[in-house]
Amino acid sequence: MLDHTHVPAAASWVDGTRGHPDFPIQNLPLGVFRQGGGTPRVGVAIGDQVLDTRAAVELGLMDGLDPASRLALTAGALNDWMALPPAARTALRHAVFALLDADHPGRARHASLAGQLLRQQAQCELLLPADVGDYTDFYAGIHHATQVGRLFRPNSPLMPNYKHVPIAYHGRASSIRPSGSPVRRPTGQVRTAAGVDVPALRPSAQLDFELELAIWIGPGNALGAPVPLAAAADHAAGYGLLNDWSARDIQAWEYQPLGPFQGKNFASTVSPWVVTADALAPFRCAPMARGGDDPELLPYLRDEADAAAGGLSIALEAWLSTARMRELALGPCRLSASDARHLYWTPAQMVAQHTLGGCNLRPGDLLGSGTISAPDDSGHGSLLELTRGGTRPIELPSGETRLFLEAGDEIALTAHCRRDGFARIGFGESRARIID
Amino acid sequence: MLDHTHVPAAASWVDGTRGHPDFPIQNLPLGVFRQGGGTPRVGVAIGDQVLDTRAAVELGLMDGLDPASRLALTAGALNDWMALPPAARTALRHAVFALLDADHPGRARHASLAGQLLRQQAQCELLLPADVGDYTDFYAGIHHATQVGRLFRPNSPLMPNYKHVPIAYHGRASSIRPSGSPVRRPTGQVRTAAGVDVPALRPSAQLDFELELAIWIGPGNALGAPVPLAAAADHAAGYGLLNDWSARDIQAWEYQPLGPFQGKNFASTVSPWVVTADALAPFRCAPMARGGDDPELLPYLRDEADAAAGGLSIALEAWLSTARMRELALGPCRLSASDARHLYWTPAQMVAQHTLGGCNLRPGDLLGSGTISAPDDSGHGSLLELTRGGTRPIELPSGETRLFLEAGDEIALTAHCRRDGFARIGFGESRARIID
């Protein structure tokens, strides 16, 4: 649903927000911040600042909202906000928009309270947006699945189930960290040589990133009560960026027969701002077109609204900065430019699939989309693809080369949405540096 | 460490506890109970009753304990108890033992408070012992892995990694339920016929149980700080019974390449009582003997103390009762008699492996051992094994047969420990009925 919060001419009275590349008033993503060791508070990004929503509630500026929404804004995590019904999340967005809107009749009073309402983002610690009950990682990036599958099975890269069922695995919730937390290279069992079934204990020599979309779950469902596809979109409360770090050598030795485990569970890095489903409304698009040889979907994965606008058009990028590049004052280099359009399955299809057998989702659960690669070489969402399985080094502006990540390497994932007639909005970033 | 709490002649002043098959004073497992819609409270099972530990604290009967331990006893879940250091958990056991001991000098006063301290278990709702942050399921039952592997790969049933690395996958925490909660048969994508790569949407026709040991994690570790094997046993705070329900037909279609997902995540049933590591001290044993052709373990999985007594001797049983059997007033029939001795990896090795790459464990995390089957036909820990992959029906006392579970079927897992010179202790049960 498009409404006045999407009008591109709208602007905030907060300085420097008009035309802000990520956080103009049309975005209003939520997050959790802390200042100087204080308690975590919910905030909304506006330009380079953070609106302290608890302060807004305490100043009586959110009195038009229902009590559950006001309570969610004074919590220390976004789980309560995610638990709100979609209409309440939309009403909350409108209330925040009104507070920050330069054209609002109360503008003068609102602006006079800026000192109590606003914090500089740069002076805040941005925390994990929610307490993640469960983290599930899908495998919906079909170009990634194809390119990785081709490394192992040149003639049949995609498994027979791929185009029938949104494949996923359960990931580790405890090791999810917000942008900025360093990632320690894991030690693990790896094969002593390719094709040799004898392991050695070593620090991973094949540490990789994965460019993924994060989907934050809203109200969720009771155990045993599947969410039908037509209702599934209401359960995706917001979106972020997820780097599902992977140790390819550990993964290759461990993954049969039960899938990835220690090749993944040492860390996942998520961006701190939750871009709401409402903010993304202008950027909905049709899901990836099925080809003539693609199988017909089972009815539970088909829904007219989802087939018309269940996809998302989000430009996604991955950037690398090495220690040497920083010494040379070279900026990060872009490794990948992809788009959420390259997902074979929509977020709603993921929710419908996840709950099909009765599995319950809870507010604050996190879904990863799977690595989103473009169909061409400019948009590989992992080094595994960029280096053809670790065989072709990539060259960096510093004269260095990389097959996989080294100590001091920093990966930043970024994303933004653009469409004619709408303000550009961005996701901020998921950034982390490798330490040994 | 054996101490006075393990002396077989010890007895409680609580009626009917001497020689109780599960809960004599030598056991003292902890759990969480609720009465009549009240708030959840921590309790200790003693005979057929529950000691209300909050009441004990409020009556001043736990004043010898440190504040963190007293606080853990007044909480609504066992996470705080699990977070205590092992010495504090032992001191707490001694304090509860003293309160219930028939030979304690304070016996008369303690017994006079029975009305405030004790509840009938049968009148309590027994809840999930802890808020499970993450649930990991290992695959350490080597006879199960061999028997299931043989169904698919007759000549090489075990994967090459099996005897080198404790294999595991991440499971779903949100759908873990305590004993007594019904399990709804999941619907999912299954192959329309064996070997045909076309799916249909159906209720699972191959619903199975899995007989597993549950391991409740104690203090845990910080992200990036592995727990060495010599310290790992301290992180297994207690044990229970876990039924990791499995829909074999859903699993068979979905599991490549990322492992089990919807074939498992619709439900797991855990027993409500946490049998402490202290209570199990007399039942430690050497781990499974490695054969001459077994590979040497990497050093991080070798530790003298663990190699001497890292195993557990726990008799495990699975029982089936069908609706027809109950109509005929026939008791449950035993499907399986196995033992935790049949685990290839010790709980300490599981903890050391899980944290090897830096993954953090948190108090209240749950590890499953994997299905524990005996080497012979009397101890298959799943119907998949009992029916040879769903090809040979088992016969029941009611004249019925089963390949997999039907509506109304109830599976109960039970366990007990016996050793000459020690009191028998038991685990209670993990029981659940299938509903369609």
Side-chain angles (χ1 to χ4, degrees):
Chain A
M1 259 356 136
L2 300 184
D3 59 36
H4 66 283
T5 66
H6 299 103
V7 171
S12 172
W13 50 262
V14 178
D15 284 346
T17 56
R18 190 187 298 265
H20 191 279
D22 276 9
F23 306 127
I25 195 170
Q26 290 82 1
N27 193 348
L28 304 178
L30 290 90
V32 177
F33 72 99
R34 183 163 58 185
Q35 268 194 316
T39 54
R41 297 166 86 104
V42 169
V44 174
I46 180 72
D48 292 327
Q49 307 201 54
V50 182
L51 170 71
D52 179 337
T53 60
R54 178 173 191 134
V57 169
E58 289 170 353
L59 288 164
L61 299 168
M62 294 287 144
D63 285 355
L65 296 179
D66 64 81
S69 298
R70 288 204 305 274
L71 209 57
L73 291 178
T74 59
L78 288 176
N79 298 70
D80 291 347
W81 172 78
M82 290 164 181
L84 296 172
R89 293 198 307 264
T90 300
L92 188 151
R93 171 180 169 84
H94 288 173
V96 171
F97 186 94
L99 175 57
L100 297 173
D101 181 9
D103 292 330
H104 192 274
R107 171 201 171 134
R109 180 169 171 250
H110 297 161
S112 74
L113 297 169
Q116 289 159 270
L117 291 172
L118 298 174
R119 309 277 173 267
Q120 289 292 331
Q121 264 191 53
Q123 290 167 13
C124 296
E125 183 187 1
L126 298 177
L127 306 175
L128 210 55
D131 296 326
V132 180
D134 277 289
Y135 158 45
T136 297
D137 204 15
F138 278 83
Y139 197 50
I142 190 170
H143 303 304
H144 170 76
T146 304
Q147 284 152 9
V148 170
R150 193 172 286 140
L151 295 173
F152 301 103
R153 299 173 302 277
N155 297 320
S156 59
L158 284 182
M159 291 287 176
N161 55 20
Y162 189 87
K163 292 182 172 181
H164 292 281
V165 53
I167 291 292
Y169 69 96
H170 298 117
R172 180 81 192 175
S174 71
S175 55
I176 298 171
R177 290 292 179 275
S179 184
S181 302
V183 170
R184 188 171 293 279
R185 179 188 305 277
T187 286
Q189 285 198 24
V190 300
R191 285 193 173 90
T192 50
V196 175
D197 284 336
V198 176
L201 185 68
R202 289 184 191 154
S204 171
Q206 299 189 342
L207 190 50
D208 200 355
F209 73 96
E210 290 194 330
L211 171 57
E212 303 199 15
L213 195 65
I215 302 160
W216 290 99
I217 292 296
N221 59 305
L223 185 64
V227 177
L229 182 58
D234 284 350
H235 294 270
Y239 296 83
L241 291 159
L242 178 69
N243 186 339
D244 186 41
W245 305 93
S246 299
R248 303 296 179 192
D249 41 3
I250 295 173
Q251 191 182 346
W253 170 238
E254 76 174 357
Y255 92 105
Q256 288 289 12
L258 299 181
F261 181 58
Q262 296 197 278
K264 301 275 194 179
N265 69 11
F266 55 94
S268 306
T269 304
V270 73
S271 57
W273 294 112
V274 177
V275 178
T276 65
D278 283 332
L280 289 171
F283 310 102
R284 309 286 335 179
C285 63
M288 182 182 288
R290 261 64 178 167
D293 56 345
D294 283 355
E296 194 177 14
L297 293 179
L298 286 166
Y300 80 94
L301 290 172
R302 295 197 306 249
D303 170 74
E304 277 185 31
D306 199 57
L312 283 164
S313 177
I314 305 172
L316 303 162
E317 295 175 312
W319 301 79
L320 169 65
S321 155
T322 70
R324 179 76 186 136
M325 288 165 69
R326 293 188 296 273
E327 278 170 23
L328 297 173
L330 295 167
C333 67
R334 194 170 73 179
L335 296 181
S336 180
S338 186
D339 197 289
R341 286 175 179 270
H342 299 307
L343 289 171
Y344 194 77
W345 302 105
T346 67
Q349 286 172 324
M350 295 180 204
V351 167
Q353 181 64 39
H354 205 315
T355 62
L356 175 65
C359 181
N360 56 322
L361 299 175
R362 297 178 292 190
D365 283 354
L366 182 65
L367 309 187
S369 63
T371 306
I372 306 179
S373 294
D376 58 75
D377 284 354
S378 67
H380 292 311
S382 68
L383 285 167
L384 187 66
E385 294 158 89
L386 277 161
T387 66
R388 307 295 191 278
T391 62
R392 277 199 237 167
I394 55 169
E395 292 182 11
L396 305 179
S398 52
E400 298 171 286
T401 62
R402 284 291 184 275
L403 286 172
F404 291 101
L405 297 171
E406 300 189 3
D409 287 0
E410 184 172 274
I411 294 285
L413 310 181
T414 62
H416 60 269
C417 297
R418 265 196 286 225
R419 181 178 154 197
D420 282 349
F422 290 90
R424 166 187 161 134
I425 64 171
F427 278 62
E429 61 182 16
S430 159
R431 176 191 298 271
R433 195 174 292 188
I434 304 299
I435 56 176
D436 277 350
Chain B
M1 267 347 142
L2 300 185
D3 58 38
H4 67 282
T5 66
H6 299 103
V7 170
S12 172
W13 50 261
V14 178
D15 283 347
T17 55
R18 191 187 297 264
H20 191 279
D22 276 9
F23 306 128
I25 195 171
Q26 291 82 1
N27 194 348
L28 304 178
L30 289 91
V32 177
F33 72 99
R34 183 163 59 184
Q35 267 194 317
T39 54
R41 296 167 85 103
V42 169
V44 173
I46 180 73
D48 293 327
Q49 306 201 54
V50 182
L51 170 71
D52 179 338
T53 60
R54 178 172 192 136
V57 169
E58 289 170 352
L59 287 164
L61 299 168
M62 294 287 144
D63 285 354
L65 296 179
D66 64 81
S69 298
R70 288 204 305 275
L71 209 58
L73 291 179
T74 60
L78 288 176
N79 298 71
D80 291 348
W81 173 78
M82 291 165 179
L84 296 173
R89 292 198 307 265
T90 300
L92 188 151
R93 171 180 169 84
H94 288 174
V96 171
F97 186 94
L99 174 58
L100 297 172
D101 182 9
D103 292 331
H104 192 274
R107 171 201 173 134
R109 178 167 173 253
H110 298 161
S112 74
L113 297 168
Q116 290 160 269
L117 290 172
L118 298 173
R119 309 279 172 266
Q120 289 291 330
Q121 263 190 52
Q123 290 167 14
C124 296
E125 184 186 0
L126 298 177
L127 307 175
L128 210 54
D131 296 326
V132 179
D134 277 288
Y135 158 45
T136 298
D137 204 15
F138 278 82
Y139 198 50
I142 190 170
H143 303 305
H144 170 76
T146 304
Q147 284 152 10
V148 170
R150 192 172 286 140
L151 295 172
F152 302 102
R153 300 172 302 275
N155 296 320
S156 59
L158 284 183
M159 291 287 176
N161 55 21
Y162 189 86
K163 292 183 172 179
H164 292 280
V165 52
I167 292 292
Y169 69 96
H170 299 117
R172 181 82 192 174
S174 72
S175 56
I176 300 172
R177 290 292 179 274
S179 184
S181 302
V183 170
R184 188 171 294 279
R185 179 187 306 276
T187 287
Q189 286 197 23
V190 300
R191 285 193 172 89
T192 49
V196 175
D197 284 337
V198 176
L201 185 69
R202 289 185 191 152
S204 172
Q206 299 189 342
L207 190 51
D208 200 355
F209 73 95
E210 289 194 330
L211 172 56
E212 303 199 16
L213 194 66
I215 302 160
W216 291 100
I217 292 296
N221 60 303
L223 185 63
V227 177
L229 182 58
D234 283 350
H235 294 270
Y239 296 84
L241 290 160
L242 179 70
N243 186 339
D244 186 42
W245 304 93
S246 300
R248 302 297 180 191
D249 40 4
I250 295 173
Q251 191 182 347
W253 170 240
E254 75 174 358
Y255 91 107
Q256 288 289 13
L258 298 182
F261 181 58
Q262 297 198 278
K264 301 276 194 179
N265 69 13
F266 54 95
S268 306
T269 304
V270 74
S271 57
W273 295 112
V274 177
V275 178
T276 65
D278 283 332
L280 289 171
F283 310 103
R284 309 285 336 178
C285 63
M288 182 182 287
R290 262 63 178 168
D293 57 345
D294 284 354
E296 192 177 16
L297 293 179
L298 285 166
Y300 80 92
L301 289 171
R302 295 198 308 250
D303 169 74
E304 277 184 32
D306 199 59
L312 284 164
S313 177
I314 306 171
L316 303 161
E317 294 175 314
W319 300 80
L320 170 65
S321 155
T322 71
R324 179 76 186 136
M325 287 165 68
R326 293 188 297 273
E327 278 170 23
L328 297 173
L330 295 167
C333 68
R334 193 170 74 178
L335 296 180
S336 179
S338 186
D339 196 290
R341 287 175 178 271
H342 299 307
L343 290 171
Y344 195 78
W345 302 105
T346 66
Q349 286 172 324
M350 295 179 204
V351 167
Q353 182 65 41
H354 205 313
T355 62
L356 175 66
C359 180
N360 55 322
L361 299 174
R362 296 177 292 190
D365 283 353
L366 182 65
L367 309 186
S369 63
T371 307
I372 307 179
S373 294
D376 58 75
D377 284 353
S378 67
H380 292 312
S382 68
L383 284 167
L384 186 66
E385 294 158 89
L386 276 160
T387 66
R388 307 295 190 276
T391 62
R392 277 198 238 166
I394 54 169
E395 292 181 11
L396 305 179
S398 52
E400 298 171 286
T401 62
R402 284 292 183 276
L403 287 173
F404 291 100
L405 297 171
E406 300 189 3
D409 287 0
E410 183 173 273
I411 293 285
L413 310 181
T414 61
H416 60 269
C417 298
R418 265 194 286 224
R419 180 179 156 197
D420 282 349
F422 291 90
R424 166 186 161 135
I425 65 172
F427 278 62
E429 61 181 17
S430 159
R431 175 190 298 270
R433 195 174 292 187
I434 303 299
I435 55 176
D436 277 351

